[in-house]
């Protein structure tokens, strides 16, 4: 039998004091967020009863409340022996707050409740949505507006403010008896909370240094002194001292010198005064056009001090070239949330992919009940969703992240009647978004992403007598006809799937309805029969899909031919049938031969997805990245498997110093578990460039580890290279635990002293976890 230690009962006066302290802390955190005396924030801090909706028969009242840190929500639970941590979720983990019936759960189970009382919390990771019903419209609005404000204001805090907020929250957590003082024991617990192991001698030394009042407890100014010692950045102090005067000011002239000499900023003279105005917190220094150490640190932690070139956060590439000249962010079996055999299908998966910048989504369509087509992974036990619901989700989210065209890749297994319903749904739901005719009469090559802004294209089969989807010689009298059935689901390497296919007696052809055929304009699916004969060129709008193994074989054996093919035609690549766990393949080798639609399982985190998101954060996260000139030039002789002299760009040498890490997250949530971090730097590109190097392990310090290690990499083809920084918790006996990573194109690297803002396993940013590095790029002789 488990024994619970009884907590000593507090008196009424103690309870009142604690309540008042809690109110003051909450008010202070509200001010830090820029929400002083905000009505919505006050409501959330007070909390309210909400109905939690899980199914048609599960709808229960629970109490929800914003905690005093203004960062976490406490939720009431009726489960026995549920840990206190499991009743709390962080606002940092929220991706979106949606009002009304905007999730599948609300659509199915809360239609009887007015929309104005309903809202849903969507999480960043694979957690299920939290569907909630408020008792009134006013309460719902408080929650929707309040959470929205906290998220927006948290995101706009600078790194120093985030660090201060986090440390003060941890200090509050460590103050077990809530007396606003810190004993030596509480200080040691606090250090473990922030991921640093300090031996008793050092902990006592820090404590005695700060305990000026000799009371055996730190309070007020003494805690601030401790905070300063903890957040000291000696590596940055050293850089600052080199460019500052005896009074601790860096003049504008010296900042120009630093930007020019160390940061390789060409517009240093223009940039320096703007950086002082933007980041310097000291008004006296600002008036004197100078920078203090605090301002310098804020600059280095900002977007301007980021390793990723901030000018690449906007669309900067030429978007007027033919569609086939771009890599396109693409998802495979987009409807799946988990594996390929038994996992759930969901419209939420489409929303997540589109908000991650995906521009090509896949729909596997089958006959459904009540003459309504459904989407699921054929022959498997994955759940089914309505085709019409998916089209609605695409309409609502297609252009929230990027204005550039979305391609709907149809895998059609429906009867003629239900194909007509599919065509009708797309036409009536998408309306003007659906492209049904050539752009500006363009019938000889693809239009550009710029010309197709705000448009949704359909990729699918076309009736053979409508040879030209662009309309020059179509036969409009044909009602339906047999076309080849390219059934990717039938390629799954699973015994139950093979049995199902044998029992159904799968046909190699499918009757195609004219109405569905008419929705295909620029992306006509055809079987690949080899690279074209120059004397009999294929129409530019004909495109083929390749399994990863077939595409990699072509890339290995006929790379230059594949590159030429991909200058005029679109190629779509999809994962092999044996990847029933929704694992991913490496997209790099296929991008290197110009394949545009390299489809991955967006729901599966890992190196491949990190590299994918790294590639597509370029060019304003638009989902379209212009291929290098040598992959677009019709005279190109480039072969990534056999690099010869050519116009592929100047070879580069990357000199890299991993200096330090800041506030690395705990991997194991146990209080006594401290990470032992090490950093691996990987180069992903052509075969000669693929490389990795790693630092030593720093034991028991995830708060401010210091490495000071230098590495050199030779980069043969910079335009195709990506750099990935991975931080892991070293473990001698088992596989290292992932802590965080960041991947970016080599061409987006900024030189000099830079911070790398680490991402979680799912690709979301940590609030204050960074690496500090020095980057130098040289031309090779």
């Amino acid at each position: 039998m488990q024994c619970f230690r009884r907590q000593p009962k507090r008196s009424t006066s103690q309870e009142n004091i604690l309540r008042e302290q809690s109110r003051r802390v909450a008010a202070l955190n509200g001010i830090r967020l820029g929400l002083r005396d905000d009505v919505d924030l006050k409501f959330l801090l007070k909390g309210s009863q909400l109905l939690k909706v899980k199914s048609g028969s599960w709808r229960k009242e629970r109490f929800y409340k914003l905690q005093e840190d203004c960062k976490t929500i406490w939720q009431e639970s009726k489960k026995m022996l549920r840990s206190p941590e499991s009743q709390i979720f962080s606002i940092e983990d929220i991706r979106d707050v949606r009002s009304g019936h905007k999730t599948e759960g609300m659509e199915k189970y809360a239609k009887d409740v007015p929309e104005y009382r309903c809202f849903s919390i969507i999480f960043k990771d694979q957690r299920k949505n939290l569907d909630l019903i408020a008792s009134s419209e006013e309460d719902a609005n408080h929650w929707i507006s309040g959470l929205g404000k906290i998220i927006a204001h948290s995101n706009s805090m600078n790194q120093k403010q985030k660090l201060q907020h986090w440390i003060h929250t941890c200090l509050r957590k460590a103050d077990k008896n809530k007396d606003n003082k810190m004993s030596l024991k509480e200080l040691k617990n606090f250090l473990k909370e922030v991921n640093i192991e300090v031996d008793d001698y050092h902990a006592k030394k820090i404590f005695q240094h700060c305990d000026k009042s000799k009371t055996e407890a730190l309070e007020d100014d003494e805690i601030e002194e401790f905070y300063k010692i903890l957040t000291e950045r000696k590596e940055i102090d050293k850089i600052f001292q080199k460019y500052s005067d005896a009074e601790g000011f860096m003049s504008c002239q010296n900042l120009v010198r630093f930007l020019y000499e160390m940061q390789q900023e060409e517009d240093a003279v223009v940039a320096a005064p703007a950086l002082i105005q933007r980041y310097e917190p000291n008004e006296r220094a600002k008036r004197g056009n100078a920078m203090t150490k605090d301002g310098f640190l804020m600059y280095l932690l900002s977007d301007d001090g980021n390793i990723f070139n901030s000018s690449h956060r906007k669309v900067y590439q030429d978007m007027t070239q033919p569609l086939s000249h771009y890599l396109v962010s693409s998802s495979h079996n987009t409807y799946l949330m988990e594996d390929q055999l038994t996992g759930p299908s969901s419209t939420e998966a489409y929303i997540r992919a589109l908000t991650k910048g995906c521009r090509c989504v896949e729909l596997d369509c089958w006959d459904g009940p009540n003459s309504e087509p459904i989407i699921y992974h054929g022959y498997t036990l994955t759940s089914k969703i309505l085709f019409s619901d998916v089209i609605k989700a695409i309409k609502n989210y297609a252009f929230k992240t990027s204005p550039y065209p979305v391609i709907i890749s149809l895998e059609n297994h429906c009867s003629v009647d239900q194909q007509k319903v599919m065509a009708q749904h797309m036409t009536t739901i998408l309306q003007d978004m659906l492209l049904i005719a050539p752009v500006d009469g363009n019938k000889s090559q693809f239009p550009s992403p710029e010309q197709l802004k705000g448009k949704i294209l359909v990729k699918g089969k076309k009736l053979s007598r409508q040879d030209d989807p662009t309309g020059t010689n179509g036969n409009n009298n044909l009602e339906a006809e047999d076309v080849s059935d390219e059934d990717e689901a039938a390629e799954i390497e699973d015994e139950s799937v093979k049995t199902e296919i044998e029992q159904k007696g799968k046909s190699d052809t499918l009757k195609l309805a004219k109405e569905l055929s008419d929705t295909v304009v620029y992306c006509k699916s055809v079987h690949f029969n080899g690279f074209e004969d120059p004397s009999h060129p294929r129409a530019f709008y004909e495109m083929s899909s390749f399994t990863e193994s077939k595409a990699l074989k072509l890339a290995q054996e006929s790379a230059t031919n594949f590159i030429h093919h991909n200058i005029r035609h679109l190629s779509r690549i999809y994962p092999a049938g044996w990847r029933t766990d929704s694992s991913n393949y490496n997209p790099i080798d296929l991008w290197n031969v110009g394949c545009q639609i390299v489809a991955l399982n967006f729901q599966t985190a890992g190196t491949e997805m990190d590299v994918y998101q790294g590639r597509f954060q370029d060019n304003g996260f638009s989902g379209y990245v212009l291929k290098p000139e040598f992959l677009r030039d019709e005279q190109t002789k480039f072969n990534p498997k056999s690099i010869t002299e050519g116009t592929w760009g100047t070879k580069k040498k990357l000199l890299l110093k991993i200096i330090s890490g800041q506030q690395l997250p705990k991997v194991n949530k146990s209080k006594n578990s401290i990470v032992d971090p090490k950093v691996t730097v990987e180069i992903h590109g052509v075969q000669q460039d693929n490389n990795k190097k790693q630092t030593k392990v720093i034991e028991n310090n995830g708060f401010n580890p210091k490495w000071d290690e230098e590495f050199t990499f030779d980069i043969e083809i910079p335009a195709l290279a990506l750099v990935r920084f991975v931080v892991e918790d070293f473990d001698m006996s088992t596989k290292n635990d992932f802590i965080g990573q960041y991947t970016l194109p080599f061409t987006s690297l900024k030189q000099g002293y830079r911070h790398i803002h680490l991402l979680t396993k799912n690709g979301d940013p940590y609030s204050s976890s960074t690496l500090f590095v020095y980057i130098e790029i040289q031309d090779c002789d």
Side-chain angles (χ1 to χ4, degrees), residues 52 62-65 67 72-90 127 130:
K52 183 177 179 180
R62 295 286 184 263
F63 188 76
Y64 289 83
K65 179 185 183 297
Q67 304 228 105
T72 50
I73 302 280
W74 180 84
Q75 52 185 338
E76 179 190 10
S77 174
K78 304 287 186 183
K79 286 183 183 172
M80 290 292 288
L81 301 178
R82 186 168 178 178
S83 68
E85 291 79 20
S86 66
Q87 288 182 250
I88 292 168
F89 63 85
S90 171
R127 232 180 312 179
L130 183 55

Side-chain angles (χ1 to χ4, degrees), residues 96-333:
D96 192 14
V97 182
R98 294 185 202 150
S99 59
H101 303 143
K102 299 276 174 52
T103 63
E104 283 178 344
M106 282 301 201
E107 191 73 35
K108 279 183 190 171
Y109 311 127
K111 275 294 193 182
D112 58 315
V113 181
E115 281 208 71
Y116 56 73
R117 283 175 50 204
C118 301
F119 67 98
S120 300
I121 292 173
I122 317 300
F123 294 101
K124 287 177 181 174
D125 51 26
Q126 301 297 331
R127 232 180 312 179
K128 287 180 180 174
N129 300 337
L130 183 55
D131 293 324
L132 300 164
I133 299 170
S135 58
S136 68
E137 181 178 7
E138 187 183 5
D139 282 11
N141 287 340
H142 278 311
W143 278 103
I144 296 161
S145 176
L147 289 172
K149 284 178 198 172
I150 296 169
I151 292 164
H153 285 257
S154 296
N155 290 341
S156 65
M157 286 168 89
N158 62 46
Q159 286 297 121
K160 195 172 179 187
Q161 288 169 323
K162 285 178 182 175
L163 174 60
Q164 191 179 26
H165 193 172
W166 177 64
I167 284 181
H168 279 90
T169 301
C170 291
L171 282 167
R172 180 89 178 142
K173 211 169 170 182
D175 182 12
K176 295 295 180 192
N177 60 359
K178 305 298 178 204
D179 61 355
N180 282 341
K181 297 176 185 178
M182 188 181 282
S183 66
L184 176 58
K185 186 181 177 184
E186 285 174 334
L187 179 134
K188 283 156 73 175
N189 284 338
F190 164 79
L191 290 170
K192 285 179 181 174
E193 187 70 40
V194 298
N195 211 358
I196 182 167
E197 181 77 73
V198 177
D199 62 45
D200 288 353
Y201 171 76
H202 278 99
K204 198 166 184 180
K205 199 174 168 187
I206 295 168
F207 186 83
Q208 287 172 341
H209 172 82
C210 297
D211 184 20
K212 309 287 188 201
S213 60
K214 307 297 178 194
T215 57
E216 297 295 314
L218 307 185
E219 49 190 312
D220 302 329
D221 292 346
E222 294 170 340
I223 289 176
E224 285 304 311
E225 174 71 13
F226 170 64
Y227 169 80
K228 280 179 187 168
I229 291 170
L230 195 66
T231 56
E232 214 171 18
R233 295 283 303 272
K234 287 181 180 171
E235 71 275 34
I236 288 176
D237 293 353
K238 198 171 160 187
I239 303 161
F240 183 78
Q241 281 164 9
K242 189 179 171 187
Y243 290 89
S244 59
D245 60 26
E247 289 182 30
F249 290 103
M250 185 188 284
S251 68
C252 187
Q253 191 177 352
N254 279 347
L255 179 57
V256 168
R257 198 158 62 85
F258 169 77
L259 292 174
Y260 189 73
E261 291 173 0
M262 306 309 296
Q263 307 296 79
Q264 303 295 307
E265 300 283 8
E266 291 173 10
D267 61 345
V269 175
V270 177
L275 292 175
I276 290 168
Q277 291 306 308
R278 201 173 300 147
Y279 301 115
E280 180 50 57
N282 184 309
E283 286 302 322
R284 182 183 151 214
K286 201 185 274 191
R287 282 195 300 273
N289 207 18
M291 202 174 241
T292 61
K293 193 164 69 178
D294 279 350
F296 186 62
L297 175 59
M298 284 174 76
Y299 149 64
L300 286 174
L301 282 166
S302 74
D303 216 30
D304 289 301
N306 199 309
I307 192 170
F308 184 80
N309 188 333
S310 60
S311 67
H312 291 190
R313 294 196 194 283
K314 299 189 284 283
V315 173
Y316 69 95
Q317 295 176 343
D318 177 7
M319 300 302 280
T320 63
Q321 301 215 18
L323 201 63
S324 54
H325 286 194
Y326 299 83
L327 305 180
V328 184
S329 179
S330 307
S331 157
H332 169 249
N333 286 356

Side-chain angles (χ1 to χ4, degrees), residues 620-679:
F621 200 51
S622 63
Y624 284 85
V625 171
L626 185 65
K627 294 192 272 188
E629 173 65 33
F630 56 82
L631 293 182
R632 295 180 275 125
D633 176 13
E634 296 195 357
Q635 307 306 312
T636 191
K637 292 183 171 59
F638 178 72
N639 183 341
K641 300 294 178 187
S642 173
I643 307 291
T644 55
E645 289 299 315
T647 56
W648 329 132
T650 311
K651 295 177 190 175
K652 302 285 183 184
K653 188 178 286 292
L654 172 62
L655 307 170
L656 186 70
K657 185 177 186 181
I658 305 291
I659 302 170
S660 60
Q662 293 76 39
Q663 292 87 59
L664 303 178
K666 279 192 169 201
V667 177
N668 184 334
K669 295 300 178 190
S670 157
K671 188 176 79 172
N672 294 316
S673 172
I674 310 293
V675 301
D676 304 323
K678 70 163 193 168
V679 181

